[in-house]
Amino acid sequence: MTNNWREKMKDYYFIGAAAVGVASALYWYYKDDAIGVTAKVDKSVKRSTPRITEELLSPEFENATTISIPFSEPYIFINDPESVEYVTSTNFDNYVKGKFTKSRMTDVLGNGIFNTDGHDWYVQRKLSSKVFTNKNFKTNIDTVFTDNINILLKVLNDHASEAKLIDMHNIFHRYFMDSFGKIAYGIDLQSLEKGSAAFVSSFDRAQNAMADRFTSAFWFITDKFDFKLQRDIKLVRSFGHKVVEDRKKNGTPSNNHDLLSLFMEYRHDDGTSLTNEELADHVINFILAGRDTTAQALSWCLFCLHQNPKVKEQVFKEIDETLGEELIPKYEQIKKMRYINAVFKETLRLYPSVPREGKSALNDDVLPNGTKIPRGAIVAWLPYAMGRSDKIWKSPEQFLPERWLSGKQPTQYEFPSFNCGPRICLGKSLAEIQGVFTLVSILCQFDFNIENTASVTMKQSLSLPMKYGLQCSITRRN
Ligand code: HEM
């Protein structure tokens, strides 16, 4: 009996060692490819192994390019507006986040809005949309935004006096984290004044890991043994839980209709409320939605203004003419500043905060242009590439806010930086108002000069961060 057991163990060791050997060999073979890619149907990809941050984002990466990934579903790229409309709206039910996305995101995001489909998604969308109303935006501008912008202006003023370089990319992330903490959960994180909490760095690393999982064949093995990452994920999850537990302990302030209180009031059909785990999912998902996207849009906006001094002059002119002696804009003034609103959109055309999008096909399908989509394929489109395509835009390489002021305006499918169809960004209006509000408030008093433009480059992630930040010198405007 004992011998038999020993023999069996030997077999298991042998099988285990062989499996590790095969996995190592495959890893070694594919390790230089961003996604271990072989271009199959493509006419435009120059190499057979495109790296996602370079060729995949280039406008040359044209429609109906198919790439296959070892041990994964094929990707089919559809960078034409007609196909994007079909996938995101016309045949919405056939294209889901599905197992492909969920398997890569659930340990961090749980079943939050970014990671769900069907009924679960619909309920979350309906509930959350109650917070994103014009009335709430107006109130937020007079309260949360104004409190927070005063802290930001003080930080900038101190730096202008010291004549030191400041990383505006980092500052914007901390500023939007604080604003969003207050709007969504009524918590004061104070990261602008005190520096980011440990959880923020863990959140950044967990987010990068999730992005890498879409381009790595062996993420489910490597991430399991990445103990630092596992600790980061644990910290992110416990932050979500702490926000929920603190709210339950301290109660909801009267008249508070923030996101967390709405989710806490929600009852399932059987009368049960959301568990702490589900509430923590919502907290974490909305930080992902609300912080990085707008912070990165504003960082790229300062970069574009630096590269286009004539546009910057126009921006200063509009601010000075609209605000007069005032320093902080009101809701109506923000709406009136058409040129700066156009600058914000033009930035998102060239630097969309979510540069890649993808959905999984539930059933075989055929796109209007005849592209066959097999069941399970990932249909992907690239707002980054579409924003630079001369099939959609005139002189796409030029930063021209004027294109947003007259003439035919692009449809949501031609300009998918906020996504499109029923899953269009829920925070679009909030982001536009808060983005322009922040830009106007800081440019009313300060000018920013980027010291080394060559160091401004993007980093691979789910969103579009700057790899080395945005080092600026600040001067006060007279
Ligand atoms: C410049 C800023 C922003 C940009 C460019 C942007 C863009 C996007 C994009 C492309 C998506 C689709 C992502 C996906 O497929 O999963 C999305 C979804 C979403 N965004 Fe934004 N976003 C911005 C700011 C915000 C803000 C401030 C909020 C506020 C919380 C927000 C809330 C959401 C939510 C809840 C979704 C999920 C919608 C759904 O799946 O039904 N976004 N956003």
Side-chain angles (χ1 to χ4, degrees):
M1 171 93 179
T2 321
N3 273 348
N4 224 345
W5 181 82
R6 284 215 174 101
E7 281 306 309
K8 264 196 183 147
M9 282 307 286
K10 266 192 204 159
D11 286 350
Y12 287 141
Y13 280 138
F14 177 76
I15 293 167
V20 169
V22 171
S24 309
L26 285 169
Y27 178 70
W28 181 253
Y29 184 73
Y30 285 116
K31 75 181 179 11
D32 287 337
D33 299 350
I35 24 185
V37 172
T38 343
K40 266 200 212 148
V41 191
D42 178 36
K43 299 152 232 120
S44 58
V45 178
K46 294 178 209 93
R47 292 190 287 136
S48 63
T49 57
R51 287 207 166 262
I52 201 133
T53 42
E54 297 158 15
E55 282 152 66
L56 272 190
L57 292 182
S58 137
E60 286 158 38
F61 204 83
E62 286 290 345
N63 206 21
T65 298
T66 304
I67 55 179
S68 58
I69 302 171
F71 311 112
S72 180
E73 302 78 352
Y75 274 80
I76 298 172
F77 286 85
I78 53 153
N79 283 343
D80 72 298
E82 205 191 12
S83 303
V84 171
E85 176 169 6
Y86 181 81
V87 169
T88 57
S89 292
T90 319
N91 202 3
F92 175 74
D93 290 339
N94 192 44
Y95 295 95
V96 295
K97 298 258 172 168
K99 209 175 99 209
F100 178 77
T101 300
K102 283 184 193 164
S103 61
R104 286 160 174 82
M105 296 214 192
T106 300
D107 56 349
V108 183
L109 298 180
N111 290 316
I113 191 162
F114 279 104
N115 209 24
T116 40
D117 295 302
H119 179 73
D120 281 357
W121 164 74
Y122 181 74
V123 166
Q124 292 188 43
R125 172 104 195 171
K126 214 169 146 204
L127 259 183
S128 321
S129 55
K130 291 189 183 166
V131 169
F132 297 97
T133 60
N134 272 346
K135 187 165 160 270
N136 274 359
F137 294 157
K138 263 185 158 169
T139 320
N140 282 328
I141 287 189
D142 295 339
T143 54
V144 176
F145 291 1
T146 306
D147 285 355
N148 275 23
I149 201 74
N150 281 323
I151 301 170
L152 175 61
L153 291 170
K154 183 174 175 319
V155 170
L156 298 182
N157 199 35
D158 292 348
H159 274 270
S161 312
E162 290 170 9
K164 274 202 315 207
L165 287 186
I166 185 169
D167 179 0
M168 285 306 293
H169 184 255
N170 175 285
I171 291 283
F172 282 140
H173 275 78
R174 282 154 55 188
Y175 164 77
F176 283 105
M177 181 82 205
D178 289 352
S179 304
F180 203 69
K182 278 190 198 158
I183 294 170
Y185 320 119
I187 51 172
D188 192 359
L189 290 161
Q190 297 187 318
S191 42
L192 251 185
E193 296 139 294
K194 296 187 176 163
S196 299
F199 123 85
V200 174
S201 324
S202 292
F203 190 76
D204 290 342
R205 285 193 293 266
Q207 201 179 320
N208 290 341
M210 283 192 292
D212 288 345
R213 290 171 182 177
F214 288 92
T215 58
S216 153
F218 300 107
W219 64 270
F220 51 92
I221 303 172
T222 49
D223 283 7
K224 270 253 152 17
F225 294 101
D226 184 340
F227 299 116
K228 188 166 176 355
L229 173 64
Q230 294 305 327
R231 269 199 310 276
D232 286 331
I233 294 174
K234 214 166 156 191
L235 196 62
V236 170
R237 296 296 312 172
S238 51
F239 171 83
H241 275 273
K242 186 166 178 338
V243 170
V244 172
E245 282 153 18
D246 284 355
R247 173 63 68 87
K248 284 194 171 171
K249 202 163 72 198
N250 303 328
T252 306
S254 56
N255 280 338
N256 192 337
H257 295 295
D258 65 20
L259 269 174
L260 189 53
S261 44
L262 275 173
F263 281 121
M264 284 171 71
E265 283 159 20
Y266 177 73
R267 295 293 174 267
H268 292 295
D269 293 343
D270 62 2
T272 55
S273 48
L274 300 187
T275 62
N276 280 12
E277 185 75 4
E278 288 169 318
L279 290 168
D281 290 349
H282 300 314
V283 170
I284 295 163
N285 275 257
F286 275 89
I287 292 173
L288 180 73
R291 180 191 71 143
D292 300 24
T293 46
T294 325
Q296 287 158 20
L298 278 202
S299 306
W300 289 111
C301 201
L302 283 191
F303 175 69
C304 292
L305 290 179
H306 177 85
Q307 302 284 68
N308 296 277
K310 284 207 173 115
V311 175
K312 188 148 94 172
E313 244 172 59
Q314 252 328 94
V315 165
F316 283 146
K317 188 164 171 270
E318 188 173 61
I319 293 176
D320 297 344
E321 281 174 7
T322 317
L323 292 194
E325 293 298 304
E326 289 169 60
L327 296 179
I328 297 186
K330 305 251 174 345
Y331 181 80
E332 287 71 22
Q333 289 169 319
I334 295 168
K335 291 269 158 199
K336 238 169 127 188
M337 288 188 250
R338 290 186 66 225
Y339 191 75
I340 303 175
N341 278 281
V343 165
F344 190 66
K345 285 191 190 129
E346 183 67 347
T347 305
L348 285 171
R349 174 180 70 83
L350 287 172
Y351 297 100
S353 308
V354 183
R356 294 176 285 273
E357 284 283 352
K359 291 276 167 64
S360 183
L362 279 179
N363 294 301
D364 290 349
D365 197 10
V366 182
L367 301 183
N369 65 9
T371 306
K372 288 198 174 118
I373 307 290
R375 178 174 172 222
I378 308 305
V379 179
W381 61 101
L382 306 165
Y384 186 95
M386 292 175 75
R388 288 156 191 260
S389 162
D390 57 11
K391 294 200 183 83
I392 303 175
W393 307 91
K394 257 192 209 146
S395 314
E397 69 294 346
Q398 287 183 39
F399 188 78
L400 290 176
E402 290 74 13
R403 69 172 92 238
W404 297 93
L405 298 176
S406 60
K408 187 181 162 289
Q409 294 300 295
T411 65
Q412 51 176 301
Y413 310 105
E414 289 165 329
F415 174 61
S417 296
F418 283 103
N419 207 17
C420 5
R423 287 193 90 141
I424 195 168
C425 172
L426 201 51
K428 180 173 181 284
S429 304
L430 175 68
E432 286 168 345
I433 291 171
Q434 201 184 5
V436 174
F437 171 84
T438 307
L439 201 60
V440 170
S441 304
I442 61 174
L443 290 175
C444 177
Q445 298 191 48
F446 302 101
D447 190 5
F448 297 81
N449 186 47
I450 297 167
E451 293 295 305
N452 178 5
T453 45
S455 72
V456 179
T457 169
M458 58 197 177
K459 176 175 164 192
Q460 166 147 332
S461 183
L462 292 176
S463 52
L464 200 64
M466 291 174 168
K467 201 166 181 178
Y468 307 109
L470 186 70
Q471 308 298 334
C472 298
S473 59
I474 308 180
T475 45
R476 286 192 195 90
R477 289 185 63 219
N478 293 323

